[in-house]
Amino acid sequence: MKKFLMSLCAISTVFFATSCSDFLTEDPKGSLSETTFFASQNDVDMAVTALYSQVCSQTNNTNPYGYTWMGDDLTTHPASNKQAYAQFVKFAVPDDNKCSVATWKSWYKVIKAANFIILNVDKAAENGVATEEVNIAKGQAYYWRGVSYFILVRLFGDIPLNLTNEINVSAEKATVATVYEQIIKDLQAAESILPTSYAKAPRVWGGVACYITKQAALSTLSSVYLTKAGWPLNGGKADYQQAANYAKQVIDGCNNGTYEYALLDDFKKVYSMTYNYNTETIVGINASADFSWAQDSETGISNIFESQGGWGDAWGTYTFWKNFPEGARKDAVFMPKIMITNSSNPHYGKLVNFYDKDASGNFYVAEAHPAYQVFCCSGGGKADFDYTYGGSSTPKRDVACTSQRRHMIRYSEVLLWYAEASARATGAISDDAVAALNEVVTRAGEAPVTKADFADADAFAERAFQEHGWEVAGWFVGLNTRRHDMQRMNRLKEVFDQRIKDGTVGVEVAPGIVLKEDNYPSGSFSESLIYAPVEYEDGSMNPNL
């Protein structure tokens, strides 16, 4: 795999080592020749490899996902170098926020790479490359262009659509509705031409499909329609029905053996390095810590607090942690206790609750917040994380760069999308929806549900909605995070108000122990606070943006 990734990076550097602002400024004379390329299967493979290099290098670190801190599950250090994340926590995001800038730049790079394939790969067929191979390449490009715009439109709202890679210094924004039309068109195009399986590396790796398949595109369409049904487009029942239909196609295909997806039997395996490649993952981005800073997963210590030698980017919020159902899933998502790994700390090697204080009345852990463990690894980034560090009295914080795969969509999500969307679309609770929800809740260690447990379909849909929040808690690289859920349900005002309450009144995290959040918004909520401003460089270059 290391050899493959070295080639991948080299190709990407030659083909697409330009910034997102290239749509406005690039001199095309030095770019890859559209007239001489795609002369062979090797050329096709190189172009797809370059596309995946862009996807990989934009999903390997925290910055492009800082916008997810606007959900109710994440907070961060009130000072340090975490202000870009804190600005999302506070609903106060300037146009030079490093996270939103990274999101804008990185996903427009992916779009550029995808456009190159879409616009030119048919030349390969003219040169004798099999139609099936051309479709595989084109399907990858359609998929990732659609996903790129799906990520961008939810953060920025109206955005420029570029489908040609032509330079346009006066490009205008497309409306949210128009962007969604293009997203759906791209994903439907991908679904229509992609196969359901692949036979060779790198399309298959670790026993699972790494290229996008037909069923992966179907799953993503379910997510897009579920989102489109809510804020801001409010497509309602018609879009919920489409979301349910696409999810049901995937579920039926899994049940009859056509598709490969199935839940892992224990939630603790979801983020486990032992099960890094698994058939619960529908869309996953590969990483290799053996290669480079650009192709690894740079999040191995994002959940380790700075006081313990980590980066401490992602902290759990008090209210979300408190409301999280107790059991195996919570114990896999949050550290049940926190190990003091800082050898200069007098309590080095001690396991504590995040809210515990020593005899002098000081917190054992300075951050005094719930600690996620979803990105943590052990054994030099190669083994499953053990929050007890094997009971060692001299624990050592692990490495930052790992090979952890970024699971963007999991099968548990498709089951929950179906359960929620079908109930919202029909106003009824079907047996199939109950079965889908029960697959997830029983794996989480909760009791199975029946129709009689719910007053109506809305209550059932709400349970599926909340379960999705628990399933993806803290996993900021997912395609649908808690922020996205709260946004589509038009509940970010609730997050805004809750954060203020948690920062001023506080939260009782244990009997008699009330803690207050350091980061919280001020002033009044307005929908204008949801979207981040356009990245400042492109915004200053083009007043239409």
Side-chain angles (χ1 to χ4, degrees):
M1 184 174 186
K2 183 175 181 180
K3 180 179 179 181
F4 162 69
L5 283 172
M6 289 177 70
S7 300
L8 180 152
C9 187
I11 293 166
S12 175
T13 300
V14 173
F15 287 33
F16 299 111
T18 49
S19 75
C20 82
S21 297
D22 294 340
F23 282 147
L24 302 180
T25 62
E26 184 190 34
D27 179 354
K29 293 191 293 296
S31 300
L32 189 64
S33 172
E34 298 175 357
T35 57
T36 60
F37 202 64
F38 292 114
S40 66
Q41 180 64 54
N42 185 60
D43 286 356
V44 174
D45 291 341
M46 287 173 68
V48 176
T49 299
L51 168 64
Y52 270 99
S53 181
Q54 288 302 317
V55 173
C56 181
S57 63
Q58 313 317 323
T59 59
N60 71 332
N61 66 89
T62 310
N63 286 345
Y65 296 92
Y67 60 85
T68 67
W69 270 248
M70 194 177 277
D72 61 354
D73 57 335
L74 290 169
T75 189
T76 191
H77 199 292
S80 185
N81 62 346
K82 311 304 177 188
Q83 288 312 293
Y85 311 103
Q87 286 166 350
F88 279 99
V89 173
K90 297 175 181 178
F91 287 71
V93 183
D95 64 1
D96 63 348
N97 175 282
K98 73 173 183 178
C99 294
S100 61
V101 169
T103 307
W104 179 275
K105 286 180 177 291
S106 63
W107 289 104
Y108 272 115
K109 280 186 180 181
V110 175
I111 290 166
K112 180 177 181 178
N115 282 345
F116 182 79
I117 295 172
I118 293 167
L119 294 168
N120 298 290
V121 74
D122 284 337
K123 295 182 178 71
E126 299 169 6
N127 290 309
V129 176
T131 300
E132 178 185 5
E133 291 294 327
V134 171
N135 284 343
I136 288 172
K138 194 182 296 185
Q140 308 308 303
Y142 275 129
Y143 179 85
W144 285 111
R145 186 171 74 178
V147 164
S148 297
Y149 279 122
F150 188 41
I151 290 170
L152 290 167
V153 75
R154 289 178 293 172
L155 175 56
F156 296 103
D158 297 348
I159 53 174
L161 275 175
N162 189 302
L163 307 180
T164 65
N165 282 357
E166 293 180 1
I167 301 169
N168 185 354
V169 295
S170 59
E172 296 187 356
K173 293 181 181 180
T175 65
V176 170
T178 300
V179 176
Y180 269 91
E181 289 174 4
Q182 186 61 49
I183 293 166
I184 291 169
K185 182 179 179 180
D186 280 350
L187 293 176
Q188 288 176 335
E191 182 272 329
S192 70
I193 59 177
L194 286 174
T196 60
S197 63
Y198 298 100
K200 61 181 181 179
R203 300 171 184 183
V204 175
W205 203 273
V208 300
C210 294
Y211 272 29
I212 299 301
T213 59
K214 175 186 181 73
Q215 55 270 34
L218 288 170
S219 301
T220 309
L221 278 161
S222 177
S223 167
V224 170
Y225 272 107
L226 185 71
T227 304
K228 185 170 174 282
W231 188 90
L233 296 180
N234 300 314
K237 289 186 177 181
D239 284 338
Y240 281 127
Q241 188 61 63
Q242 287 279 54
N245 291 344
Y246 279 115
K248 192 64 162 57
Q249 287 186 59
V250 176
I251 294 168
D252 287 347
C254 294
N255 289 339
N256 65 30
T258 303
Y259 303 145
E260 71 274 28
Y261 309 133
L263 296 188
L264 292 162
D265 60 355
D266 189 333
F267 192 90
K268 70 181 180 182
K269 297 178 180 178
V270 168
Y271 303 119
S272 159
M273 290 301 293
T274 302
Y275 298 88
N276 198 28
Y277 290 85
N278 62 73
T279 53
E280 180 168 339
T281 300
I282 292 176
V283 178
I285 308 304
N286 292 6
S288 175
D290 296 327
F291 177 55
S292 77
W293 186 252
Q295 306 298 340
D296 53 11
S297 181
E298 300 165 16
T299 52
I301 57 175
S302 290
N303 294 152
I304 304 296
F305 293 136
E306 287 179 275
S307 67
Q308 306 308 312
W311 290 340
D313 298 327
W315 300 4
T317 62
Y318 297 135
T319 292
F320 189 83
W321 170 84
K322 184 176 181 179
N323 291 339
F324 201 115
E326 297 295 332
R329 182 170 54 185
K330 186 173 185 177
D331 289 345
V333 170
F334 290 100
M335 298 182 200
K337 288 182 180 288
I338 300 172
M339 174 66 79
I340 306 299
T341 57
N342 183 350
S343 59
S344 64
N345 189 305
H347 307 290
Y348 178 49
K350 184 178 180 66
L351 270 176
V352 298
N353 295 307
F354 70 83
Y355 49 80
D356 286 345
K357 294 183 178 181
D358 61 22
S360 300
N362 299 313
F363 287 112
Y364 286 111
V365 178
E367 290 79 358
H369 269 75
Y372 283 106
Q373 59 178 325
V374 293
F375 290 103
C376 298
C377 299
S378 295
K382 300 180 185 300
D384 298 351
F385 181 65
D386 174 10
Y387 75 93
T388 72
Y389 291 76
S392 172
S393 59
T394 57
K396 182 180 179 181
R397 187 268 291 159
D398 213 82
V399 299
C401 299
T402 76
S403 299
Q404 187 183 39
R405 204 167 183 228
R406 276 87 79 199
H407 317 291
M408 293 187 76
I409 300 178
R410 302 196 339 261
Y411 184 52
S412 64
E413 296 182 81
V414 174
L415 292 166
L416 294 172
W417 295 337
Y418 172 69
E420 180 187 348
S422 64
R424 296 196 195 281
T426 64
I429 307 171
S430 71
D431 291 338
D432 286 343
V434 172
L437 179 58
N438 274 333
E439 281 198 59
V440 177
V441 301
T442 55
R443 197 268 296 269
E446 301 172 23
V449 303
T450 67
K451 293 181 183 180
D453 294 329
F454 303 96
D456 52 30
D458 286 342
F460 178 85
E462 182 66 17
R463 174 65 183 274
F465 168 83
Q466 293 296 346
E467 286 292 333
H468 185 264
W470 312 134
E471 282 287 309
V472 301
W475 186 249
F476 49 75
V477 296
L479 187 63
N480 295 275
T481 65
R482 180 67 172 172
R483 181 247 164 93
H484 293 125
D485 278 350
M486 300 302 282
Q487 181 171 325
R488 69 177 171 85
M489 292 302 292
N490 201 17
R491 296 183 185 178
L492 284 178
K493 183 182 185 302
E494 296 178 17
V495 177
F496 185 96
D497 292 341
Q498 185 68 55
R499 286 193 183 275
I500 291 176
K501 180 180 178 182
D502 293 350
T504 55
V505 177
V507 182
E508 187 176 42
V509 298
I513 301 176
V514 176
L515 300 180
K516 295 181 180 181
E517 295 285 4
D518 295 306
N519 294 314
Y520 57 91
S522 61
S524 300
F525 176 83
S526 70
E527 288 187 349
S528 65
L529 300 178
I530 295 174
Y531 290 135
V534 167
E535 185 267 337
Y536 67 99
E537 289 183 349
D538 280 1
S540 62
M541 197 178 306
N542 178 1
N544 290 331
L545 301 184

